[in-house]
Amino acid sequence: MSAQQIGKPANRVDGFEKVTGQAKYAAEFSAPDLTYGVVVNSAIAKGTIKNIDISEAMALEGVLQVFTHQNRPGYTWRDKDYQDKDSPPGSPFKPLYSNKIQFSMQPIALVVAESFELARYAAMLVKVEYEQEPHDTNFEANLPKAYKPKKYKATPPPDPRGDAAAALASATAKVEAEYAHPSEHHNPMEMHASTAVYEDGKLTVYDKIQGVKNSQQYLMKAFGLAEDELRVISPYVGGAFGSGLRPQYQLFLAVLAARELKRSVRVVMTRQQMFSFGHRPKTNQKFAVAAASDGELQAIKQEVFAETSKFEDYSEDVVIWPGVLYNCANVELTHKLVGLDVYTPLDMRAPGGTTGIYALECAIDELAYEVGIDPLEFRIKNYSEKDQNKDKPFSSKELKECYRQGAEKFGWSKRKMEPRSMKEGHNLIGWGFAQGAWEATQKKAAAKAVLTPEGKLLVTSATADIGTGTYTVMSQIAAETLGLPLENVSFRLGDSSMPMAPLEGGSWTVSSVGSAVKLACEKVQETLLELAKKVDNSPLQNASIEDVIFSDGQILLSQNPTQSVSIKAALAQNGGESVEAEATQQPADKQQNYSPYAHSATFVEVKVDEDLGTVKVTRIVAAIAGGRIINPKTAKSQILGGAVWGIGVAMEEETMMDNNLGRFMNHDLDKYHVPVNADVHDIDVIFVDEQDDIVNPLGAKGLGEIGIVSVAPAIANAIFHATGKRVRELPITLDKLL
Amino acid sequence: MRPFSFSQTQDVETAVREVAAYPDSKFIAGGTNLLDLMKIDVMRPAHLIDITKIALNTIEETESGGLKLGALATNADTAYHPLVEERYPLLSHAILAGATAQLRNMATDGGNLLQRTRCYYFYDTQTPCNKREPGTGCSAIKGYNRDLAILGTSEHCIATHPSDMAVALAALEATVHVSGTNGARAIPMADFHRLPGDTPHLDTNLQPDEIITAIELPSKGFAQHYTYLKLRDRASYAFALVSVAAGLELEGDTVKEARIALGGVAHKPWRKPEAEALLHGQSATRENFQKVAEAYLEGAKGYGDNTFKIELAKRAIVRALEQATNMEASA
């Protein structure tokens, strides 16, 4: 079929708007008489505000109000009114609620003025006196107080299988090691921002968020608003990586101010303030792994200690990976939390997977060396044919094909097992491997399709495009289903008045929203077929929907494609009306019997200058089994982005806590390092063929997270191969290799 | 940002007169550091004097065979100037190791010397910092200090000077020309920046009423044997953990003269001529370089997170001298 859209490397349909600056982000929407809010943050990590003096700020002409806990309007005290769709169990932070300080950089005042510059200046004049209390921010010091939460936000640790302790005691080859992952902050290019437009008592809020429905419902509960009093819009998001899963405090404060002042208000966080809320939690992992002399895995024991706040129990899927990735009879997994005086951690790209797979894949590499088996061979030997956490087969798993194609592209067969065996001038060369997985979830989602008499299709769903390509792939799915050219299709998102979509995260958007788009378009197909039958001498008179295909603007009999009715002719039978359909797609029952995962195999080459400790990641080959690839171009971008971030995870990213002050200190992009172009060299992306009829009606698996999970361990393993040193504390900065 | 008044001047005399007349006034040229610091309330000048219209942006040869860089020549124009590239490639490399193309296009040579430290605490007005607010204490000494100084520190401050350019200028023994209400004077690079002592709020010996007019490079440029080795946490757009500007004059494999300056380790570009002298008349061997490196780091003190810099600096000196000797590609 010439009109096939799925599988085409289509350019981003929103690319032109983005590169020409026409795409508007939350802080770029305006309103008549817009006012500007600037947030004041706490200097201390714990205690109370004794006094907050706003008089000097208020004295400036043009300053409208300085909102604090003292003058805020009354609002709800109930925790559940502040809980959003991504809240962990606990008591959510309530901005300006009381004089209590729960974490450093907590928002404690909002200055609103007629100009941004004035608001920023006035914010400097707010004087705060604190009653300081001793804070707990030292993760290591608080490890003895680690606890099992009453309720896990993530999957609770799977039950033990077999007897790991006995297997470890009698094993011939064993590795016990502890791995440390630091706190990391998301740092999308676009800072969090909300523009609350106030009009006749109603609010339209432009918000940076990964799901407008989440912001809308949060605001409705927190401010006691009805659905028709509040619309949330978010057409473009300049990166989020999970930071936009929960409504952040600038949203609450902008709406609070707009309602009180009856004016439109914009609040934008500064880059420094991007370090004042959720982050990937600092996590320590103790691994004990054992194998027989032939390399058969005999035991995996994983003990996780992860940071959370003192008011919410954040947890993520750190311990599920042994059961997904390795066939092993004796497994013991624990996940404990360390409560600190910090803001609650927050899902960050592949939450739990980035952390857990890093440590697991390093421990397995260490064990392969202990046994003396090539690390890739070791994985093949212990390949899991089913998800042992759930005791279910995978819906599909072409990971062995990833091994094969990745190894061939990389030249893995030429690798010498021995560390320090490759040299070039000052550099030691190392080759490392790691594998990864990420769940291919489908969630309930809805979409609406409207086909105009002119043959233009508009599809809507309240999802988001955080740079992932949602606009483009949804357009392709719709165009494919109805046999229309891509330019006749537009997809719109990011408006709370649109049909329901889940939060844009978890790599489930293509699977969930894509399936809903397909279903809505299939409903349009049915109407079109009925209309086509009304055409004079219609060859489709007796056809049912199974008998026809939609292609190139035609409805064709699949048995006899010369017999067709054009979609336009069918539409002409609708009395000048559009054909509309709304559909909600749920995961199919047959999924219940399977475990759906995407898989990755990552091969890395590093060059290490041992005298100076510097590391260059010269080559990455990422082979991905991600089901059906809707758009190879946007798909590749996802994997490239994941690989680049993997370099950051392995070697650069770390938010540094000053435990004297209880404060993250490297809170800007000068001091918080993410990779720059000069750090990134060759990256090859391979998508292997993978058929999956179970995962969802599209056969596609999400790609947002599978690209990052196995990169950092492959780099760490390559550094070992180069140097013979195991650095078990991320990031692997040059001082750790001296 | 706090309100400030603003004026523009066309000549050095007026600039100096104005800066003396206005309390809390500052010159502004590229503004790549000052504006950032004003936005986050670290620097609070009441008056800014725009000096970009003063004709101080030329790069000219001097009678003694050196080169005079106008204080307002941009970092980019300086790094890519044919005479700089040919005679002072060490300086060119050092400039290009810093910042980004966009910043170097704006930043001026005079302003580069006057950059403030990048210490985390100096940048955060909600933390104590003796450099920002004298007498409040130093958070870094017992706090997070990975990037901070190991040489010439005091109990009041362990900040580093962030410039790459200044490190090369120190190795080249450049002279800073300044003008003030009391006339003009020339300050050797070695005396331009200060150590923190008990006055960490003062970065340089420039007087409040003085303006930098030019930086003069002596004729000797070490263009045959030089290197600028910068070690940092990523391959570009990061300040040095340790950097080494090295220039050698060789006769066969005998060192006639050696110049070394370290960046990222002190409140000023770090020179130790008596350690360099250990190489004079000696052969250019790794063993001799290691002796110099040991001598150079004598008295260095680590504060925990930054203690690794002592060993790193030694290794960097050895590598830089090797590179300068063999003229291998810089790392």
Side-chain angles (χ1 to χ4, degrees):
Chain A
M1 275 182 295
S2 60
Q4 198 152 330
Q5 298 295 341
I6 292 183
K8 263 192 186 172
N11 287 336
R12 285 173 193 264
V13 296
D14 51 336
F16 183 81
E17 280 160 317
K18 281 187 171 169
V19 300
T20 53
Q22 294 172 62
K24 274 188 167 185
Y25 294 80
E28 295 179 316
F29 288 90
S30 200
D33 287 335
L34 182 67
T35 66
Y36 301 81
V38 166
V39 179
V40 178
N41 301 78
S42 163
I44 66 164
K46 192 176 184 183
T48 48
I49 299 169
K50 250 169 66 183
N51 187 40
I52 185 158
D53 178 3
I54 61 170
S55 56
E56 218 180 312
M58 287 298 293
L60 293 174
E61 197 187 328
V63 172
L64 300 167
Q65 181 59 289
V66 180
F67 292 98
T68 70
H69 67 280
Q70 288 173 328
N71 64 13
R72 67 163 176 86
Y75 42 69
T76 174
W77 55 272
R78 291 182 304 187
D79 285 339
K80 67 177 178 120
D81 291 335
Y82 297 86
Q83 264 151 358
D84 66 87
K85 290 180 186 173
D86 194 38
S87 286
S91 171
F93 171 66
K94 308 176 184 78
L96 310 189
Y97 188 74
S98 75
N99 66 349
K100 199 172 148 200
I101 301 295
Q102 295 169 283
F103 56 95
S104 188
M105 293 185 82
Q106 175 179 321
I108 54 173
L110 179 77
V111 180
V112 184
E114 297 285 359
S115 77
F116 166 69
E117 289 76 10
L118 185 62
R120 183 171 59 177
Y121 170 42
M124 292 169 182
L125 303 179
V126 174
K127 301 209 166 33
V128 190
E129 282 175 62
Y130 303 94
E131 184 85 48
Q132 208 166 336
E133 291 168 34
H135 53 251
D136 295 326
T137 55
N138 189 325
F139 179 79
E140 283 76 16
N142 283 281
L143 278 172
K145 291 190 212 159
Y147 60 94
K148 280 186 188 166
K150 282 195 201 92
K151 198 176 162 213
Y152 284 91
K153 175 179 190 280
T155 317
D159 291 336
R161 283 181 279 117
D163 187 343
L168 281 161
S170 64
T172 51
K174 189 162 69 171
V175 170
E176 285 181 56
E178 193 169 339
Y179 301 88
H181 193 296
S183 307
E184 293 171 348
H185 280 76
H186 303 71
N187 277 306
M189 282 290 282
E190 180 201 17
M191 275 85 80
H192 278 256
S194 303
T195 304
V197 176
Y198 186 89
E199 214 172 0
D200 303 328
K202 288 191 180 181
L203 282 168
T204 304
V205 184
Y206 299 90
D207 189 31
K208 178 196 175 89
I209 192 74
Q210 289 173 250
V212 282
K213 298 272 191 191
N214 198 23
S215 293
Q216 186 193 34
Q217 281 162 29
Y218 170 79
L219 292 170
M220 281 164 56
K221 284 192 293 177
F223 291 99
L225 297 169
E227 197 171 347
D228 64 355
E229 291 176 296
L230 178 76
R231 184 172 168 200
V232 179
I233 296 176
S234 183
Y236 292 100
V237 175
F241 315 116
S243 69
L245 289 172
R246 299 187 71 180
Q248 301 303 344
Y249 61 76
Q250 94 289 339
L251 172 70
F252 182 92
L253 294 174
V255 170
L256 165 76
R259 282 167 49 81
E260 290 307 302
L261 298 170
K262 306 202 185 314
R263 294 275 300 268
S264 299
V265 181
R266 176 190 296 157
V267 182
V268 186
M269 287 199 195
T270 62
R271 180 56 65 186
Q272 287 79 1
Q273 285 166 343
M274 292 297 289
F275 291 78
S276 65
F277 57 98
H279 54 278
R280 199 193 290 282
K282 190 173 169 73
T283 304
N284 280 11
Q285 300 176 64
K286 285 183 189 164
F287 264 93
V289 286
S293 53
D294 66 351
E296 188 193 303
L297 252 177
Q298 291 180 327
I300 302 177
K301 193 176 166 193
Q302 183 186 11
E303 281 178 271
V304 170
F305 300 87
E307 171 194 7
T308 189
S309 68
K310 291 238 182 106
F311 46 96
E312 286 171 313
D313 279 341
Y314 174 85
S315 66
E316 52 191 22
D317 282 338
V318 189
V319 296
I320 64 168
W321 309 104
V324 174
L325 286 170
Y326 292 99
N327 182 37
C328 185
N330 304 296
V331 176
E332 193 184 317
L333 309 160
T334 56
H335 188 164
K336 290 182 178 173
L337 303 182
V338 180
L340 301 176
D341 292 310
V342 296
Y343 192 86
T344 310
L346 173 59
D347 295 327
M348 183 191 289
R349 201 171 194 177
T354 302
T355 316
I357 293 171
Y358 150 67
L360 173 64
E361 286 301 284
C362 288
I364 292 294
D365 195 75
E366 297 202 37
L367 187 59
Y369 269 87
E370 190 66 30
V371 179
I373 292 179
D374 172 82
L376 178 54
E377 207 47 54
F378 190 92
R379 265 82 173 192
I380 294 169
K381 201 166 185 80
N382 294 290
Y383 194 80
S384 65
E385 297 290 356
K386 64 173 183 182
D387 176 353
Q388 295 149 96
N389 298 328
K390 299 177 189 162
D391 197 24
K392 286 177 189 174
F394 294 107
S395 61
S396 60
K397 181 177 176 182
E398 294 294 344
L399 180 56
K400 278 188 179 155
E401 191 55 21
C402 294
Y403 295 164
R404 197 187 64 75
Q405 290 188 30
E408 191 179 303
K409 180 92 193 172
F410 187 83
W412 185 261
S413 62
K414 295 194 241 17
R415 182 181 187 268
K416 289 189 199 115
M417 179 79 178
E418 198 190 336
R420 308 179 66 85
S421 54
M422 294 192 283
K423 238 187 151 167
E424 181 188 271
H426 289 293
N427 290 317
L428 291 162
I429 299 172
W431 289 0
F433 173 79
Q435 62 181 1
W438 189 257
E439 198 166 11
T441 313
Q442 186 191 353
K443 299 239 174 201
K444 185 178 164 184
K448 184 179 178 182
V450 178
L451 184 61
T452 67
E454 296 75 35
K456 301 275 186 196
L457 180 69
L458 174 68
V459 185
T460 52
S461 179
T463 182
D465 187 335
I466 60 172
T468 44
T470 311
Y471 277 111
T472 310
V473 297
M474 296 306 156
S475 300
Q476 286 177 272
I477 292 165
E480 164 102 3
T481 311
L482 282 169
L484 296 170
L486 194 58
E487 58 270 23
N488 282 10
V489 177
S490 32
F491 180 75
R492 291 280 167 263
L493 51 72
D495 185 331
S496 60
S497 64
M498 290 173 176
M500 182 279 298
L503 278 169
E504 203 273 2
S507 293
W508 57 57
T509 297
V510 166
S511 176
S512 311
V513 180
S515 297
V517 167
K518 185 169 187 271
L519 187 62
C521 292
E522 283 168 352
K523 285 193 171 180
V524 171
Q525 282 185 341
E526 285 169 19
T527 311
L528 285 175
L529 178 59
E530 289 315 306
L531 291 169
K533 290 179 181 178
K534 294 184 192 166
V535 173
D536 286 345
N537 301 319
S538 172
L540 307 180
Q541 217 68 254
N542 301 313
S544 69
I545 198 76
E546 291 78 29
D547 302 329
V548 297
I549 48 175
F550 286 71
S551 181
D552 276 342
Q554 305 288 321
I555 311 168
L556 315 142
L557 272 177
S558 44
Q559 295 300 323
N560 184 4
T562 57
Q563 299 293 301
S564 67
V565 172
S566 77
I567 291 174
K568 274 207 168 149
L571 283 166
Q573 299 297 317
N574 206 32
E577 298 286 310
S578 294
V579 174
E580 292 189 15
E582 189 165 335
T584 303
Q585 180 67 275
Q586 306 245 35
D589 289 344
K590 63 178 176 182
Q591 286 182 21
Q592 297 302 315
N593 304 321
Y594 295 89
S595 184
Y597 276 90
H599 290 89
S600 67
T602 304
F603 300 80
V604 164
E605 178 183 86
V606 297
K607 292 186 179 171
V608 184
D609 187 324
E610 203 178 20
D611 282 346
L612 306 175
T614 49
V615 179
K616 202 176 190 178
V617 180
T618 44
R619 286 197 293 144
I620 297 177
V621 174
I624 307 291
R628 188 182 185 195
I629 302 303
I630 307 288
N631 181 330
K633 198 170 182 177
T634 53
K636 186 182 174 190
S637 289
Q638 284 277 36
I639 305 305
L640 288 175
V644 170
W645 200 336
I647 295 172
V649 170
M651 306 198 329
E652 298 180 10
E653 289 197 46
E654 177 172 28
T655 326
M656 292 304 309
M657 173 63 74
D658 177 323
N659 286 313
N660 300 321
L661 301 168
R663 192 171 176 87
F664 288 121
M665 281 316 301
N666 53 336
H667 46 51
D668 61 37
L669 291 182
D670 157 13
K671 300 174 190 78
Y672 184 95
H673 290 151
V674 299
V676 292
N677 280 328
D679 295 319
V680 180
H681 301 277
D682 291 350
I683 305 176
D684 276 307
V685 179
I686 298 167
F687 292 110
V688 304
D689 279 340
E690 189 174 63
Q691 305 295 321
D692 195 326
D693 302 328
I694 294 152
V695 64
N696 57 54
L698 294 162
K701 296 176 179 175
L703 298 169
E705 283 151 310
I706 189 62
I708 186 174
V709 288
S710 53
V711 179
I715 292 172
N717 294 338
I719 290 172
F720 165 76
H721 186 234
T723 64
K725 278 185 199 157
R726 292 283 181 190
V727 179
R728 301 188 183 94
E729 191 183 343
L730 295 182
I732 306 173
T733 45
L734 56 76
D735 47 302
K736 294 174 187 165
L737 288 167
L738 287 180
Chain B
M1 199 184 283
R2 288 166 197 261
F4 59 90
S5 54
F6 182 82
S7 62
Q8 256 185 352
T9 59
Q10 310 281 337
D11 58 82
V12 170
E13 292 68 32
T14 323
V16 167
R17 210 167 46 237
E18 282 198 11
V19 83
Y22 284 97
D24 295 329
S25 54
K26 287 272 172 216
F27 296 124
I28 184 162
T32 56
N33 195 200
L34 177 62
L35 286 178
D36 282 353
L37 290 168
M38 287 170 70
K39 285 179 191 169
I40 59 170
D41 208 26
V42 171
M43 290 182 74
R44 304 167 175 183
H47 182 75
L48 287 184
I49 303 158
D50 177 2
I51 56 170
T52 54
K53 300 284 182 285
I54 305 176
L56 283 177
N57 59 354
T58 53
I59 294 174
E60 292 165 340
E61 294 183 78
T62 63
E63 282 173 14
S64 54
L67 207 59
K68 208 167 181 178
L69 314 171
L72 292 171
T74 66
N75 282 184
D77 287 347
T78 307
Y80 296 117
H81 194 283
L83 288 175
V84 176
E85 284 182 321
E86 184 195 325
R87 297 188 200 168
Y88 307 96
L90 170 59
L91 177 61
S92 182
H93 281 226
I95 293 173
L96 296 177
T100 62
Q102 293 91 330
L103 285 166
R104 293 191 297 264
N105 285 340
M106 286 300 289
T108 62
D109 291 350
N112 188 302
L113 298 183
L114 299 178
Q115 285 179 77
R116 309 301 311 270
T117 184
R118 296 280 167 167
C119 175
Y120 325 95
Y121 302 94
F122 178 72
Y123 265 71
D124 185 338
T125 55
Q126 292 188 316
T127 66
C129 169
N130 283 327
K131 181 178 276 298
R132 193 181 64 246
E133 279 179 78
T136 54
C138 173
S139 303
I141 289 174
K142 287 188 174 150
Y144 179 53
N145 50 45
R146 173 178 170 80
D147 288 2
L148 301 179
I150 52 170
L151 286 161
T153 55
S154 77
E155 58 183 314
H156 304 290
C157 182
I158 59 170
T160 55
H161 194 263
S163 169
D164 291 298
M165 180 185 184
V167 182
L169 292 175
L172 292 167
E173 297 190 345
T175 305
V176 184
H177 291 273
V178 307
S179 276
T181 40
N182 291 329
R185 61 181 181 128
I187 311 172
M189 261 308 283
D191 300 328
F192 185 79
H193 294 98
R194 298 166 59 98
L195 290 180
D198 54 8
T199 53
H201 59 291
L202 300 176
D203 295 349
T204 71
N205 286 313
L206 196 70
Q207 296 305 303
D209 67 340
E210 284 180 324
I211 187 170
I212 301 174
T213 54
I215 298 161
E216 187 175 339
L217 297 164
S219 59
K220 202 181 261 188
F222 299 92
Q224 303 307 311
H225 294 280
Y226 68 91
T227 204
Y228 188 72
L229 176 65
K230 182 175 180 180
L231 301 172
R232 45 183 156 177
D233 279 329
R234 62 181 170 193
S236 84
Y237 200 42
F239 291 93
L241 293 165
V242 168
S243 70
V244 184
L248 291 174
E249 201 180 330
L250 296 175
E251 223 170 55
D253 73 342
T254 304
V255 179
K256 276 187 71 189
E257 189 173 1
R259 295 272 185 81
I260 300 167
L262 302 183
V265 295
H267 203 257
K268 61 189 286 187
W270 193 256
R271 283 289 306 281
K272 198 168 184 183
E274 63 271 29
E276 294 164 6
L278 294 174
L279 268 182
H280 296 169
Q282 305 296 311
S283 50
T285 61
R286 188 175 172 89
E287 204 183 11
N288 285 333
F289 296 159
Q290 278 165 340
K291 282 182 198 159
V292 176
E294 288 297 329
Y296 231 98
L297 270 294
E298 224 170 76
K301 182 182 172 189
Y303 291 85
D305 300 321
N306 71 350
T307 305
F308 74 93
K309 283 190 177 187
I310 300 172
E311 177 62 24
L312 184 65
K314 288 178 189 173
R315 296 184 185 196
I317 290 172
V318 173
R319 175 66 63 81
L321 291 170
E322 284 178 339
Q323 282 181 183
T325 304
N326 305 320
M327 288 309 287
E328 307 164 40
S330 296

